[in-house]
Amino acid sequence: MTHLPYAELHLHIEGTLEPELVMELARRNDVTVPYRDVEELRAAYAFRDLQSFLDLYYANMAVLREPQDFADMTTAYLARAARAGVRHAEIMFDPQAHLVRGVPLETVVEGIGSVLATSEDDHGVSTVLIAAFLRDRDEAEALDVLDRLLAAGAPIVGIGLDSAEVGNPPAKFARLFTRARAAGLHLVAHAGEEGPAAYVTEALDVLHVERIDHGIHSMDDDALVSRLVAEQVPMTVCPLSNVALRAVDTVADHPVVAMLERGLNVSVHSDDPAYFGGYLDDNLAALTTSLGLSHEHRVRLAENSVRASFLPGDRRDALLARIAAASA
Ligand code: ADE
Ligand code: ZN
């Protein structure tokens, strides 16, 4: 099956670390992991909630030590994403998760950045990088890391907010987002994944984000939904992630089609594909099978993804034209 051109807007590069690569890097870097083999590691991929996933996600990062490790992970993602129809990717990484392990920012940025710099030539996928901040850590640390990223000239176009949501509301990071905005960076934040609709409102009104990552709990608040429709706020929804982390029972129960039909500006993304059972094409296939996603829905999702991207107008128009040609 050929895939429509698509912009992947909600993707954590550390969430693309497949079990095979975890084990290979553990050997290469002489890092001990508590799993005998790939099968044993894969068996640990059964999650109760966001926190149970985050525990494994951060633990597996122990194998990422050298620039080449980050580069290999990024290359593997781009090759797989290209096969899924991704033609542009806005990739998040978690600088603090590496700093706390003693891996310098330069190692992370060099490893990921070296691959992104040639992604269009090598994979046919244009890319930008977004630094995501861990909301379960304090704002002072985030401010320091942002300053260090900017001072180092890290090739980031924006910042995001991720990790454990409940109890860590967006307003905790008001100064971080103000500083990033002043530096000319784009702003996105996870909100309404496990947390309440009120966090979505706060991300918009206090952080002034341009996109909401997830946002499915917006559906609990009719007034918020009306606002999101009126303002056409982009929402990057990740169905296989929501099912894996038990925010939604099954794909058949996922609100994404209802969100589309309500007029919300949603697009579908893969979040942490190595952990949640699939890449962008797998998410779309699951929705097609279990939720009756139609060809028209798929075209709308692809168009929404490109329009919600931070691409300059000419590349955006070119991708929209390719979607139109591919869907005719
Ligand atoms: N970090 C990586 N994946 C995440 C998710 N789905 N929610 C919050 N933080 C994350
Ligand atoms: Zn995410």
Side-chain angles (χ1 to χ4, degrees):
M1 169 166 156
T2 58
H3 301 294
L4 293 174
Y6 208 97
E8 172 81 279
L9 306 179
H10 184 162
L11 184 280
H12 304 265
I13 196 66
E14 297 91 345
T16 70
L17 191 57
E18 291 284 350
E20 289 78 5
L21 191 53
V22 171
M23 299 310 285
E24 183 184 328
L25 295 179
R27 268 193 305 278
R28 187 156 99 190
N29 292 327
D30 207 12
V31 172
T32 306
V33 291
Y35 307 101
R36 265 195 308 266
D37 52 29
V38 167
E39 284 66 42
E40 217 175 280
L41 173 54
R42 206 177 278 286
Y45 286 26
F47 307 113
R48 288 181 306 284
D49 53 15
L50 175 57
Q51 189 60 57
S52 65
F53 153 69
L54 290 170
D55 292 344
L56 183 65
Y57 167 80
Y58 294 128
N60 281 347
M61 289 182 201
V63 302
L64 296 164
R65 308 281 339 160
E66 304 297 330
Q68 192 61 49
D69 307 334
F70 290 90
D72 289 351
M73 172 176 69
T74 306
T75 298
Y77 166 68
L78 289 169
R80 178 64 183 83
R83 293 203 300 278
V86 174
R87 296 293 169 259
H88 174 68
E90 308 202 336
I91 295 177
M92 282 181 269
F93 74 117
D94 287 332
Q96 290 156 290
H98 308 298
L99 283 170
V100 298
R101 304 185 291 111
V103 176
L105 267 186
E106 294 69 24
T107 297
V108 183
V109 170
E110 182 194 326
I112 300 171
S114 65
V115 173
L116 298 192
T118 58
S119 64
E120 202 164 348
D121 284 347
D122 295 344
H123 302 278
V125 182
S126 55
T127 49
V128 297
L129 189 58
I130 295 174
F133 289 87
L134 305 185
R135 66 199 308 155
D136 44 0
R137 300 182 67 84
D138 66 35
E139 191 188 34
E141 180 184 279
L143 285 162
D144 178 53
V145 172
L146 174 61
D147 286 347
R148 289 165 61 183
L149 285 164
L150 293 173
I156 56 172
V157 303
I159 67 162
L161 189 64
D162 64 359
S163 203
E165 184 182 11
V166 174
N168 294 298
K172 181 177 165 186
F173 294 92
R175 290 194 306 151
L176 176 73
F177 277 70
T178 298
R179 191 173 296 181
R181 190 147 72 129
L185 293 171
H186 288 292
L187 309 176
V188 301
H190 286 52
E193 178 185 20
E194 278 190 344
Y199 284 16
V200 175
T201 303
E202 211 174 278
L204 294 172
D205 292 342
V206 180
L207 303 186
H208 304 288
V209 299
E210 297 158 78
R211 295 195 299 248
I212 296 287
D213 290 323
H214 292 294
I216 54 171
H217 282 286
S218 306
M219 296 300 275
D220 302 337
D221 180 338
D222 287 342
L224 173 60
V225 170
S226 298
R227 173 190 177 178
L228 292 166
V229 171
E231 297 178 11
Q232 283 296 289
V233 177
M235 302 168 78
T236 63
V237 172
C238 307
L240 289 179
S241 165
N242 297 147
V243 173
L245 303 188
R246 310 230 194 138
V248 173
D249 289 340
T250 69
V251 174
D253 301 305
H254 199 279
V256 65
V257 170
M259 293 171 86
L260 262 183
E261 299 201 330
R262 179 70 176 77
L264 287 164
N265 183 3
V266 295
S267 48
V268 163
H269 304 282
S270 61
D271 208 5
D272 302 283
Y275 290 88
F276 300 149
Y279 288 77
L280 178 69
D281 48 348
D282 301 309
N283 272 271
L284 294 172
L287 294 173
T288 302
T289 304
S290 301
L291 207 54
L293 197 75
S294 67
H295 177 70
E296 288 68 31
H297 289 138
R298 284 194 294 276
V299 173
R300 190 129 49 94
L301 291 173
E303 290 171 347
N304 287 351
S305 76
V306 170
R307 290 203 183 97
S309 74
F310 299 139
L311 277 169
D314 51 349
R315 169 108 175 123
R316 179 189 307 228
D317 291 346
L319 276 180
L320 288 170
R322 283 169 64 182
I323 295 170
S327 61

